[in-house]
């Protein structure tokens, strides 16, 4: 694997072809990466936490789970996951969340602004950005009260998650910009795209 | 209150002005109603479960909580709630969910189809329908495993929830069509819109 690096507090977008495997690595540990997926042929079809919760019957997603679209199609399958703790409840950090949660700190456009800029060339408008699948983000939920908390990720250096594209996709991916999500510091995220050899699955 | 009735397995859409209070009643008990809210002046702004979980810091919403938009604006405030058990994780039932969960039963367009038809005159396309706020829907989550289940509602006849519009909205509202959500039967939903007397809040 010859990974690409996403600088701290930035984001990228790229095309992922059907069958390709996207591996996202937390190189230093304790960092979050927000992931979005759109149908490459029609970006009105987009990853949906609700449809994923419907069909996977859990809010805790890991190896073997699939990520579904708003049109009830599976978009990505998690084929390897060394962490097992990700979040699909919360939205990308944004100027508004910085003002709300970090009133004493400089406002940053956050993962939301980074995703909006990176995805704009693909025809994705800011309002079309849904709740992201937040890799390595640690959001425990109290089953009795429903209360949630944002804790530091449990990912260690080199931990990763690999997902296979089940159709042609546009992916948005960030190195998260929020203090609480990342344990108070900002670190890079690495990713690689692998195409399995024909005939080998 | 002189309520309007939504027939079993159907849906409506209507305008709710700023300050008006929408009360949704479960007249027979044990029925679910999917609610959507859009900015009446720009339907690209829509209710967001992720933004609501961000700002309310819980997945269990009831009296005192607000429902937020994808633009980080509060749209509705829950001012009264006799049930305290609703769902904001799962998407409206649809032809696809009927095929998936009820393979032995007739396919129904579900709340998703009913909402899409009711909202179309307001410029809302089907792909713009997000995860709904599912009134009276009972979806316990196991905090340790993340597993969720769809249980019959705990609402009794006459139970209700009242929400105040914090800006001009287009509301979509259903009497749910899915077997599991409603304890196996289909019942109506009642709703009323009240405008508080000027000067009284």
């Amino acid at each position: 694997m010859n990974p690409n690096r996403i600088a701290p507090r930035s984001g990228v977008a790229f095309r992922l072809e059907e069958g390709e495997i996207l591996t996202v690595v937390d190189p230093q540990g304790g960092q979050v990466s927000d992931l979005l997926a759109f149908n490459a042929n029609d970006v009105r079809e987009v990853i949906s936490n609700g449809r994923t919760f419907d069909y996977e019957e859990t809010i805790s997603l890991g190896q073997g789970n699939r990520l579904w679209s708003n049109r009830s199609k599976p978009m990505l399958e998690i084929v390897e996951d060394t962490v097992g703790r990700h979040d699909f409840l919360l939205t990308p950090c944004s100027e508004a969340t910085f003002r709300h949660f970090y009133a004493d700190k400089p406002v940053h456009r956050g993962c939301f602004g980074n995703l909006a800029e990176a995805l704009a060339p693909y025809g994705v408008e800011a309002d079309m950005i849904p709740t992201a699948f937040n890799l390595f983000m640690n959001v425990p939920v109290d089953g009795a009260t429903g209360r949630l908390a944002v804790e530091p990720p449990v990912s260690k250096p080199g931990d990763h998650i690999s997902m296979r594209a089940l159709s042609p996709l546009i992916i948005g991916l960030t190195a998260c910009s929020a203090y609480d999500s990342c344990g108070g510091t900002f670190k890079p995220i690495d990713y690689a795209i692998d195409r399995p050899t024909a005939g080998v699955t």
Side-chain angles (χ1 to χ4, degrees), chain A:
Chain A
M1 190 173 79
N2 182 22
N4 305 282
R5 175 149 291 196
I6 305 173
R9 306 187 104 180
S10 72
V12 297
F14 52 86
R15 197 177 160 106
L16 190 69
E17 300 301 337
E18 183 175 343
E20 288 183 339
I21 292 176
L22 169 65
T23 296
V24 182
V25 183
D26 183 356
Q28 299 175 14
Q31 174 63 333
V32 164
S33 175
D34 288 7
L35 178 140
L36 292 175
F38 297 83
N39 176 343
N41 299 312
D42 182 352
V43 293
R44 294 174 302 179
E45 182 172 10
V46 60
I47 197 171
S48 163
N49 67 346
R51 289 282 177 226
T52 300
F53 298 154
D54 276 337
Y55 295 120
E56 301 299 318
E57 302 183 43
T58 180
I59 63 170
S60 180
L61 300 156
Q63 192 168 323
N65 288 119
R66 293 187 289 178
L67 308 177
W68 294 72
S69 80
N70 59 336
R71 293 182 190 165
S72 288
K73 302 273 172 57
M75 300 183 105
L76 290 159
E77 180 177 359
I78 302 173
V79 294
E80 192 176 354
D81 176 16
T82 67
V83 179
R85 173 65 81 165
H86 313 283
D87 169 68
F88 210 175
L89 295 172
L90 302 181
T91 42
C93 56
S94 67
E95 289 188 11
T97 65
F98 271 86
R99 289 197 186 90
H100 183 94
F101 291 107
Y102 311 113
D104 59 335
K105 294 194 169 67
V107 169
H108 192 277
R109 68 179 185 176
C111 288
F112 187 85
N114 288 328
L115 288 165
E117 180 176 285
L119 288 162
Y122 298 98
V124 175
E125 297 174 16
D127 284 327
M128 297 163 64
I129 292 177
T131 305
F133 184 49
N134 305 305
L135 307 174
F136 316 126
M137 190 169 179
N138 184 9
V139 182
V141 174
D142 183 315
T145 66
R147 297 289 297 175
L148 57 82
V150 178
E151 304 286 349
V154 298
S155 46
K156 305 297 179 199
D159 268 336
H160 58 277
I161 180 171
S162 297
M163 292 157 281
R164 178 166 47 216
L166 304 176
S167 54
L169 301 174
I170 304 299
I171 298 290
L173 196 65
T174 72
C176 182
S177 311
Y179 298 88
D180 290 348
S181 311
C182 309
T185 65
F186 309 116
K187 298 167 285 275
I189 284 289
D190 292 344
Y191 71 96
I193 299 171
D194 293 293
R195 169 163 288 281
T197 307
V200 179
T201 58

